[in-house]
Amino acid sequence: MGRKAKLAPSILNADFSRLKEEIKAVEPYSDFLHLDVMDGHFVPNITFGPMLVEAVSKITDVPIDCHLMIYNVPEWVESFAEAGADRLSFHIRSCRDVESVIRAIRALNVSPGLAVSPEDQLFELKPYLGMVDFVLVMSVYPGFGGQEMMPEMLKRVDVIKRDAAEVGADIEVEVDGGVKIENLDQVLDAGTDIVVVGSSIFKRDDVSAAAAQVKALLD
Ligand code: DX5
Ligand code: ZN
């Protein structure tokens, strides 16, 4: 069982009026910065687009892990790549030609990932496991930070890794949603490679100390 994992703070619940300071506070403890893009159609919330991704990429050297919760993914991948995304994940249910989107992302020198929501079936991922660098397992319904984790989703990490091994693919699995200090052990025991943490870092009084605390538990 893997016990070490990378940390990707999600800025969704950061104080956007002080976004630069918030990012600087977590930067020393961040392997990636997780940026949630929502279009108000694929999920019932709207966040931001490439402009903010670009603004963030200008103030940090931490690689940007961009999680697209949008329709019309093929139309947008180039903009997010140009904005500075280092990794782009999109939802398997968000577009018809998943394979060509994965190829388009890779052709832009960005690392492609596929995201699965709780209602998606894992067999749908199988044809693409040899093509992506990572799978993002949602442990809440996508759309909002601060929700309770659905612990049964953690079983998916191992299933995905075994399915990937069958096709000789070495992929990382990222868990996103409801991760907090109290359930971090469970998340690590599941074999998670990358842990997204939003409100449990940015809703704490001392954001920097919170990120340091989570990071220490992942190392
Ligand atoms: C939810 C987003 C998550 C969210 C995680 O749709 O994909 O990245 O920001 O936030 P917490 O850690 O608060 O659940
Ligand atoms: Zn996310």
Side-chain angles (χ1 to χ4, degrees):
M1 297 227 177
R3 291 294 302 176
K4 259 172 96 82
K6 294 175 188 163
L7 175 60
S10 162
I11 66 164
L12 185 61
N13 275 314
D15 177 352
F16 274 63
S17 69
R18 303 171 44 254
L19 188 55
K20 186 174 180 178
E21 290 153 80
E22 296 271 77
I23 288 172
K24 291 295 157 187
V26 301
E27 209 171 47
Y29 315 106
S30 302
D31 297 288
F32 304 105
L33 281 176
H34 185 85
L35 269 56
D36 290 304
V37 177
M38 305 185 191
D39 66 355
H41 292 277
F42 185 71
V43 285
N45 195 8
I46 297 177
T47 55
F48 47 76
M51 278 173 61
L52 188 109
V53 174
E54 187 175 356
V56 171
S57 78
K58 279 188 178 150
I59 59 155
T60 186
D61 291 329
V62 178
I64 294 181
D65 177 39
C66 202
H67 175 193
L68 301 179
M69 285 160 274
I70 62 172
Y71 285 120
N72 300 328
V73 179
E75 279 176 40
W76 287 102
V77 288
E78 197 172 343
S79 302
F80 284 101
E82 279 170 9
D86 296 280
R87 295 152 49 89
L88 266 179
S89 61
F90 64 101
H91 280 255
I92 190 156
R93 286 291 180 85
S94 65
C95 56
R96 284 202 181 87
D97 194 351
V98 170
E99 182 168 339
S100 77
V101 177
I102 296 170
R103 286 189 200 288
I105 293 171
R106 204 177 284 287
L108 291 158
N109 279 322
V110 175
S111 179
L114 262 180
V116 275
S117 295
E119 67 270 31
D120 296 333
Q121 302 292 316
L122 293 190
F123 72 83
E124 297 173 273
L125 273 178
K126 274 191 169 181
Y128 311 109
L129 289 176
M131 302 175 66
V132 291
D133 291 343
F134 67 104
V135 170
L136 186 150
V137 173
M138 296 283 331
S139 40
V140 297
Y141 286 99
F144 301 92
Q147 304 179 70
E148 277 295 310
M149 166 181 277
M150 301 163 74
E152 65 274 24
M153 291 298 135
L154 296 176
K155 291 183 201 129
R156 294 184 154 199
V157 178
D158 191 49
V159 176
I160 291 165
K161 290 202 166 191
R162 276 190 277 135
D163 286 348
E166 267 176 33
V167 293
D170 183 21
I171 56 161
E172 290 187 301
V173 180
E174 179 168 7
V175 168
D176 184 11
V179 180
K180 51 188 175 188
I181 298 282
E182 293 76 12
N183 58 28
L184 208 50
D185 255 352
Q186 263 177 287
V187 175
L188 290 173
D189 281 344
T192 307
D193 300 295
I194 302 161
V195 179
V196 177
V197 184
S199 43
S200 294
I201 288 179
F202 288 105
K203 288 290 186 193
R204 295 261 299 270
D205 289 339
D206 188 336
V207 167
S208 188
Q213 187 187 5
V214 175
K215 178 69 174 164
L217 293 168
L218 299 181
D219 278 343

